[in-house]
Amino acid sequence: MSVSMFGAHLFIDDQLQNKARATKGFVLLSNGDRVEVLQNLGDRLQIRVISNQLDPDDPQVLGAIGYVPAWIVTDRNVPPIPTATPRPTREPPRLRVRKLNEDDDARCFTMQIGGIDTAGWFMQVDGIGLRGVFDGSGNAQICGLNPRQEATYTVYDRSGRAVAGGRGIPVRGGDIMIGEWR
C-alpha cells in the first residue's frame, strides 16, 4: 500500500505492487471518493472508482478497476501512521583536552594523549613555531617560552593536518595537559 499526501494509490495487481496510471501520475483515492467493491480478498479489495475528488474528469481514473488494502474502504484495522524515529547521531571522535596541573618547568609545557596511536603526531605553538613531537607513549613537550607565557597550540597528525579538537588550545608555561581521543 502506498500512501501519498493526498490519499492511497490504486494498484493494478492484487499484490499491491504496481500503481494504476492516471492521465497525470497515478490514481489516488482520498476521503469522500466513491468506489464499488467488486471482490473481497480479505485484507485487500478489488474496486471500481465511481467518483474521484482529485481527478473528477480523468477518464483513466473514473471507472478504473484495481486493488487497495481493505482498510482504505472499510476504515477498520487502519495501521498506525509511521513516525520517523530520529536516529541519534554519533559524534565523530576528536581530541578532548584538559589541564592536569601547572607542575612543569615555567618555560615549557607537556601534553599526553591517550586513546589513539600518536606515532608521527606533533604539536606546535601557534604563531611562534615551537614544536614538540609525540613519543610512542603519546607524550610531547615544548620548551622555549618565556616563564609562564600564555599561548595557544595546535596538535597535528602524521599527515600534518590539525586533528579535530586539537586547534588553538590555550596553554601557559608550566602546564601539563592531558588529551583523550574519543
Side-chain angles (χ1 to χ4, degrees):
M1 200 317 286
S2 178
V3 175
S4 80
M5 63 188 284
F6 297 111
H9 284 101
L10 179 69
F11 293 88
I12 60 173
D13 60 293
D14 66 358
Q15 296 302 309
L16 308 179
Q17 299 294 317
N18 300 297
K19 299 172 192 169
R21 287 227 167 254
T23 301
K24 294 181 181 178
F26 298 99
V27 177
L28 287 170
L29 302 173
S30 58
N31 285 341
D33 289 352
R34 290 188 357 206
V35 299
E36 175 187 357
V37 176
L38 303 175
Q39 187 177 10
N40 186 334
L41 302 170
D43 62 343
R44 54 199 180 285
L45 303 172
Q46 183 185 40
I47 63 166
R48 174 181 298 134
V49 178
I50 305 297
S51 69
N52 184 277
Q53 295 180 60
L54 296 174
D55 292 309
D57 300 320
D58 187 337
Q60 285 188 287
V61 174
L62 298 179
I65 295 175
Y67 299 86
V68 293
W71 66 266
I72 296 293
V73 176
T74 65
D75 280 332
R76 288 191 302 263
N77 300 320
V78 176
I81 296 173
T83 57
T85 304
R87 290 187 174 174
T89 54
R90 185 173 173 195
E91 185 178 334
R94 68 181 188 92
L95 185 62
R96 299 169 194 278
V97 180
R98 66 181 174 84
K99 179 167 67 172
L100 178 64
N101 60 46
E102 299 174 4
D103 293 342
D104 205 350
D105 180 304
R107 293 166 295 185
C108 302
F109 70 93
T110 302
M111 179 168 195
Q112 180 181 55
I113 298 176
I116 192 167
D117 178 11
T118 58
W121 286 29
F122 63 95
M123 61 183 185
Q124 186 168 311
V125 177
D126 300 331
I128 299 175
L130 295 174
R131 179 186 276 203
V133 177
F134 287 92
D135 64 19
S137 298
N139 300 305
Q141 185 178 49
I142 293 179
C143 292
L145 299 172
N146 292 323
R148 310 303 278 162
Q149 179 181 347
E150 293 183 0
T152 60
Y153 69 102
T154 299
V155 177
Y156 298 90
D157 65 16
R158 65 185 54 83
S159 300
R161 293 181 303 241
V163 301
R167 185 182 297 272
I169 303 166
V171 70
R172 191 167 121 180
D175 288 350
I176 296 178
M177 309 295 286
I178 299 291
E180 182 180 0
W181 188 259
R182 57 178 169 87

